[in-house]
Amino acid sequence: MTASRVLVLNSGSSSVKYQLLDMRDGSRLAAGLVERIGEETSRLKHSPLAAGGESRETTGPIADHDAALKAVARELSRDGLGLDSPELAAIGHRVVHGGKRFTEPTVVDDAVLAEIERLIPVAPLHNPANLTGIRTARALRPDLPQVAVFDTAFHTTMPEAAARYAIDVETADRHRIRRYGFHGTSHAYVSRETARLLGRAPQDVNVIVLHLGNGASASAVRGGRCVDTSMGLTPLEGLVMGTRSGDVDPAVIFHLTRVGGMSTDEIDTLLNKKSGLVGLCGDNDMREIRRRIDEGVEGDEDAARAKLAFDIYIHRLRKYIGAYYAVLGTVDAVVFTAGVGENAAPVRESAIAGLEALGLAVDPGLNAARSAGPRLISPEGARVAVAVVPTDEELEIANQTYALVGGDAAERAGQDDGEGAA
Ligand code: ADP
């Protein structure tokens, strides 16, 4: 029997999300989430997907990641899917920052752990939690390959012209300041699935990927390789997001320090947590923003604020579409993904409106329709395809993990007709 299961772990500072996949067909056997680790009211929600049973929820103190993973292992055992099973081939870990060095998924050893640790100064919020997750899983199953899949890896192909900021080279290099980009697993998966939707090989198509979730980023992908992306040293740069500002003049920070009397930490919180859509209108959920706009009447200030937030969001998005069109020269597809990109038809319509001269248009009927799988929303015969392609970062992490630990490439899930990717 070949071991065909992969456990995917996404460890945050106080949470662990997990999925167990069967790589023979990419199906989900179980999925769940542990939240509020370290608090009295920790919560574990486990869905035994293969067994088709009801989700189970338990609350009560879970002290740390070790206790969290042991609790997950117990839940999986209850479904006959325990971590001690010989069918488990590997554990794939999402790691946010892999710097310049990690260009590929990597089997974890002590040297890899040390390098992920060395990158903590550029990813202080994420890498420590990712490391804890890996160390805990390793202690639990020391014999099993642990694979790190990096959010930054897909973007390491960016040319220096796109990756460097125009600041003093020595200062930048000393502090490892450059544009790394994030959401790479999603951009890789979605750009490849888009090529498949077009019936072409990834190396033959140029794609602009718009990953619009609570965090949001755009990327320009030429022939399957990323040539530019909107997030930079950190996930703060680029598009307007749920709570992050995206691009601002860096002098805003000097101004807030000198004139506003704010500390660095206060400005960090302002730009990362209290800006973007929530800072502009009080809501970061696009559904709520659209509701306020659609239900508002003339002179309604609440609706006007929501409309301004929406317009700023769209304006920035259109700027990036235009910029990446120019970066690529020729574009085969513009593709929307993640929570907003997959669900918010008005965002897609407004982002593409009036761009017929670039060969871009959205068919209103196709745009309004819903589907679980990838689909085109551009009119038939359009010069450039516009598409909606649901992202699946867990499947991509599992695929990359499985491919690395010796899973037969032909067996890789999600390589058939896309059903496994829904
Ligand atoms: P992340 O993984 O970054 O937390 P997601 O990709 O899950 O985020 O996206 C979450 C966001 O998607 C929500 O904040 C909301 O704005 C948006 N969203 C989800 N469903 C819908 C919908 N039906 N219509 C419009 N926006 C939606």
Side-chain angles (χ1 to χ4, degrees):
M1 176 181 55
T2 336
S4 63
R5 293 179 190 155
V6 172
L7 178 68
V8 176
L9 288 183
N10 182 352
S11 307
S13 54
S14 65
S15 70
V16 176
K17 287 187 207 145
Y18 62 94
Q19 283 195 9
L20 183 68
L21 292 97
D22 185 337
M23 301 318 293
R24 286 173 301 190
D25 58 3
S27 63
R28 301 285 127 163
L29 302 174
L33 163 74
V34 189
E35 289 177 298
R36 299 196 287 274
I37 295 172
E39 293 179 34
E40 286 301 307
T41 57
S42 315
R43 187 175 77 114
L44 192 163
K45 187 172 181 209
H46 176 84
S47 303
L49 303 170
E54 293 274 300
S55 292
R56 302 191 289 269
E57 221 176 288
T58 43
T59 45
I62 294 178
D64 50 26
H65 282 73
D66 185 49
L69 209 54
K70 284 183 176 145
V72 170
R74 267 196 306 278
E75 289 300 328
L76 288 168
S77 292
R78 282 179 67 182
D79 302 326
L81 300 167
L83 294 192
D84 50 358
S85 164
E87 289 186 58
L88 189 60
I91 301 183
H93 298 265
R94 175 186 182 218
V95 179
V96 167
H97 216 308
K100 270 174 86 174
R101 155 132 177 242
F102 292 113
T103 58
E104 299 280 346
T106 305
V107 175
V108 172
D109 58 18
D110 290 340
V112 169
L113 283 177
E115 182 65 19
I116 296 172
E117 192 155 16
R118 215 173 65 82
L119 289 162
I120 287 177
V122 283
L125 295 181
H126 296 102
N127 274 29
N130 301 157
L131 268 173
T132 307
I134 300 176
R135 289 199 172 112
T136 311
R138 225 181 162 206
L140 218 56
R141 278 293 310 264
D143 56 314
L144 206 63
Q146 311 280 334
V147 175
V149 179
F150 300 92
D151 265 21
T152 44
F154 185 61
H155 304 303
T156 53
T157 51
M158 274 195 286
E160 283 296 282
R164 274 206 179 266
Y165 292 109
I167 60 177
D168 172 67
V169 170
E170 274 166 33
T171 308
D173 287 352
R174 190 172 335 126
H175 298 289
R176 282 179 286 173
I177 295 171
R178 61 189 279 116
R179 310 190 57 257
Y180 294 100
F182 299 88
H183 290 145
T185 313
S186 176
H187 287 282
Y189 176 84
V190 169
S191 55
R192 221 178 41 239
E193 288 298 305
T194 303
R196 191 131 70 106
L197 179 68
L198 300 181
R200 295 168 67 184
Q203 58 269 27
D204 294 339
V205 292
N206 292 351
V207 185
I208 296 173
V209 180
L210 306 169
H211 176 111
L212 311 177
N214 203 18
S217 62
S219 68
V221 182
R222 172 178 290 133
R225 291 163 68 85
C226 177
V227 293
D228 205 352
T229 194
S230 60
M231 284 177 168
L233 173 72
T234 77
L236 183 56
E237 192 180 345
L239 300 173
V240 176
M241 311 183 208
T243 66
R244 296 183 203 133
S245 61
D247 297 334
V248 292
D249 180 343
V252 166
I253 297 159
F254 317 143
H255 187 79
L256 288 172
T257 313
R258 292 176 188 142
V259 182
M262 290 175 74
S263 70
T264 311
D265 285 348
E266 283 169 339
I267 300 169
D268 191 329
T269 304
L270 174 82
L271 296 180
N272 273 297
K273 306 239 168 82
K274 298 183 180 168
S275 296
L277 293 170
V278 88
L280 290 167
C281 75
D283 271 311
N284 64 338
D285 192 316
M286 191 53 81
R287 282 165 289 204
E288 192 53 25
I289 291 168
R290 284 308 315 176
R291 190 195 59 73
R292 283 167 59 180
I293 297 169
D294 295 341
E295 292 178 6
V297 287
E298 193 72 29
D300 180 344
E301 223 175 273
D302 187 62
R305 270 187 77 190
K307 172 81 167 56
L308 181 60
F310 184 83
D311 290 348
I312 295 169
Y313 182 96
I314 295 295
H315 182 78
R316 184 82 53 83
L317 191 55
R318 288 165 65 86
K319 275 169 72 164
Y320 270 91
I321 294 171
Y324 288 172
Y325 207 115
V327 165
L328 290 169
T330 59
V331 176
D332 298 290
V334 174
V335 54
F336 291 86
T337 193
V340 175
E342 291 167 31
N343 295 297
V347 168
R348 298 190 296 258
E349 182 192 317
S350 306
I352 301 296
L355 300 183
E356 289 80 7
L358 298 179
L360 288 166
V362 161
D363 177 284
L366 295 175
N367 191 34
R370 304 186 73 86
S371 78
R375 63 197 167 96
L376 291 172
I377 58 169
S378 41
E380 211 173 310
R383 186 151 56 85
V384 182
V386 182
V388 178
V389 175
T391 190
D392 195 335
E393 287 161 284
E394 289 78 15
L395 178 62
E396 179 69 14
I397 291 173
N399 266 332
Q400 293 194 10
T401 299
Y402 196 55
L404 192 63
V405 301
D408 181 356
E411 264 189 81
R412 285 176 62 191
Q415 303 290 307
D416 43 29
D417 60 1
E419 273 180 33

